[in-house]
């Protein structure tokens, strides 16, 4: 059994999207049927909780990466040594570096080489020299406009790793906890109004109005959010919604999302967590990044938001357009209608066009 490092140095959603690639690495190589690998997941602090609930992860090492984290930690010998010392003492001889289109695997590959890693795979636009043993050229060896989970799995496959027989390649997490004490026994809809980047957030009062509409249609509504979002979740939940703001860690949240009939959220970690537990998603998606790559993967989906707005592909964290029209133009009634379509099993042609035909 080998110990293989899988690196995804971003946030919760990015790490969850790496799950199929992790399972492929854990299963082993095509030529080594029946052999399994220990997977060491290298992630940033924001992705640590997600890595801890991925199936087949043996160990998690969290390290704030100076060329990916925002805000970035200073580059110093001591900080870099934290990673290289760990690698040297962990019996890791191979690494699969997972990156998005705007990231390079080469700085990490250099550190891994210095730490003694023998075989490294990654996707790189730039010439890697001897830093990568297996290099995929984005846009040549694989299309850039594909779901991020499939991109990551393609990098793992290039290293020789395949999913085990019967694995459908969808997102997964470890078994979810019982959350009956938080949400009760009756069915409900989850609304998650928070977003790490303001450019990806639907206005709070729009969320609150959607909650009222859903409750008026006979649905119980559970509102979720981080501890820092308690004021937001209280506003959105109103007098009758169940406010779980600040009351769930990521694993508990997985249980809340797993029991929901549908989830309303933006392009943020909980959208991908909902996909990982198989719950349909109404996603208020700002086009600052492409929906074809980042929309919730492998579950019934309603994608709302103007995907041709002026902010398209800008990767902006703060909305560059006055009034935030790509999302503020979405009416609460549209969200309530999208929820009803999802729970009744009606597929949206509009969503198919937005996600698969950018």
């Amino acid at each position: 059994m080998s110990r293989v490092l899988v690196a995804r140095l971003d946030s919760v959603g990015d790490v969850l999207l790496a799950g199929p690639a992790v399972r492929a690495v854990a299963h082993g190589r095509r030529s080594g049927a029946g052999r399994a690998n220990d997977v060491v997941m290298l992630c940033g602090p924001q992705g640590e909780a997600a890595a801890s609930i991925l199936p087949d992860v043996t160990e998690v090492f969290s390290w704030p990466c100076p060329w990916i984290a925002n805000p970035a930690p200073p580059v110093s010998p001591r900080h870099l040594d934290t990673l290289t010392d760990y690698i040297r003492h962990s019996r890791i001889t191979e690494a699969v570096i997972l990156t998005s289109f705007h990231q390079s695997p080469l700085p990490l590959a250099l550190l891994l080489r210095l730490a003694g890693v023998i075989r490294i795979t990654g996707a790189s636009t730039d010439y890697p020299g001897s830093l990568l043993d297996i290099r995929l050229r984005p846009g040549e060896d694989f299309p850039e406009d594909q779901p991020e989970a499939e991109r990551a799995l393609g990098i793992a496959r290039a290293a020789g790793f395949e999913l085990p027989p019967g694995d459908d390649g969808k997102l997964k997490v470890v078994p979810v906890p019982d959350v009956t004490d938080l949400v009760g026994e009756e069915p409900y809809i989850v609304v998650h109004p928070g977003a790490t980047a303001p450019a990806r957030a639907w206005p709070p009062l729009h969320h609150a109005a959607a909650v009222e509409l859903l409750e008026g249609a006979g649905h119980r509504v559970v509102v979720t959010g981080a501890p820092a979002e308690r004021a937001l979740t209280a506003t959105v939940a109103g007098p009758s919604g169940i406010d779980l703001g600040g009351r769930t860690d990521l694993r508990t949240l997985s249980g809340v999302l797993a029991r929901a009939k549908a989830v309303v959220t933006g392009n943020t970690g909980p959208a991908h967590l909902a996909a990982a537990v198989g719950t349909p998603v109404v996603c208020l998606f700002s086009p600052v990044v492409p929906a074809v790559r980042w929309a919730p993967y492998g579950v019934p989906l309603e994608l709302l938001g103007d995907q041709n707005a002026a902010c398209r592909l800008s990767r902006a964290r703060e909305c560059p357009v006055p009034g935030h029209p790509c999302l503020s133009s979405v009416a609460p009634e549209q969200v309530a209608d999208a929820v009803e379509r999802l729970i009744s099993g009606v597929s949206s042609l509009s969503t198919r066009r937005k996600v698969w035909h950018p």
Side-chain angles (χ1 to χ4, degrees):
M1 180 179 293
S2 301
R3 284 168 64 80
V4 182
L5 184 81
V6 176
R8 183 72 217 214
L9 288 159
D10 304 82
S11 300
V12 166
D14 308 283
V15 172
L16 291 172
L17 288 165
V22 166
R23 300 197 305 272
V25 172
H27 176 60
R29 284 204 168 80
R30 302 184 190 101
S31 60
R35 289 191 61 192
N37 294 315
D38 281 338
V39 174
V40 178
M41 189 80 190
L42 173 63
C43 61
Q46 290 182 312
E48 186 174 0
S52 71
I53 61 173
L54 286 182
D56 295 329
V57 170
T58 304
E59 186 176 334
V60 176
F61 186 72
S62 174
W63 184 69
C65 179
W67 55 91
I68 290 181
N70 186 13
V75 177
S76 68
R78 182 176 181 180
H79 183 66
L80 300 181
D81 286 347
T82 301
L83 175 62
T84 55
D85 288 348
Y86 170 79
I87 299 297
R88 286 191 189 101
H89 293 93
S90 296
R91 297 181 292 107
I92 293 168
T93 58
E94 180 168 0
V96 177
I97 303 176
L98 305 180
T99 49
S100 295
F101 73 100
H102 56 89
Q103 298 167 339
S104 171
L106 300 187
L108 178 59
L110 174 60
L111 293 180
L112 296 178
R113 280 284 191 241
L114 294 173
V117 177
I118 297 169
R119 189 173 190 266
I120 304 175
T121 299
S124 179
T125 301
D126 298 320
Y127 170 64
S130 59
L131 294 180
L132 297 178
D133 298 285
I134 300 173
R135 172 206 182 185
L136 286 84
R137 296 168 178 83
E140 298 180 36
D141 297 323
F142 62 86
E144 280 289 31
D145 278 335
Q146 63 175 324
E148 196 73 4
E150 293 179 16
R151 174 192 169 102
L153 185 56
I155 295 172
R157 282 175 170 152
F161 301 111
E162 286 284 357
L163 288 167
D167 191 320
D168 59 11
K170 293 184 179 180
L171 308 190
K172 301 181 189 298
V173 293
V174 297
V176 303
D178 183 358
V179 293
T180 306
D181 58 328
L182 290 175
V183 297
E185 298 282 358
E186 299 300 316
Y188 57 86
I189 307 295
V190 166
V191 174
H192 185 92
T196 54
R200 301 183 184 188
W202 199 40
L205 295 183
H206 284 47
H207 276 102
V211 168
E212 290 184 4
L213 289 169
L214 291 169
E215 290 178 330
H219 300 292
R220 285 202 311 146
V221 179
V222 173
V223 180
T224 58
E229 297 170 335
R230 285 193 178 102
L232 172 63
T233 60
T235 297
V236 171
S240 52
I242 300 172
D243 181 7
L244 296 184
R247 296 175 61 190
T248 58
D249 59 16
L250 195 68
R251 184 160 184 266
T252 305
L253 181 60
S254 73
V256 173
L257 299 179
R259 290 194 51 191
K261 292 192 292 182
V263 175
V264 177
T265 187
N267 176 21
T268 190
H272 302 297
L273 186 58
V277 296
T279 300
V281 180
V282 175
C283 191
L284 291 140
F285 197 98
S286 168
V288 293
V289 294
V292 67
R293 303 177 191 175
W294 293 102
Y297 181 70
V299 291
L301 171 68
E302 284 283 332
L303 190 133
L304 303 178
D306 181 1
Q307 299 305 296
N308 294 308
C311 62
R312 184 174 184 265
L313 307 183
S314 66
R315 292 171 48 206
R317 294 184 62 81
E318 300 281 344
C319 182
V321 183
H324 196 23
C326 70
L327 290 185
S328 63
S329 61
V330 179
E333 290 81 3
Q334 291 175 274
V335 170
D337 290 345
V339 168
E340 297 296 346
R341 285 195 297 272
L342 274 186
I343 62 180
S344 64
V346 177
S347 177
S348 168
L349 178 61
S350 173
T351 288
R352 293 201 300 274
R353 286 173 174 163
K354 289 174 182 175
V355 176
W356 292 288
H357 300 279

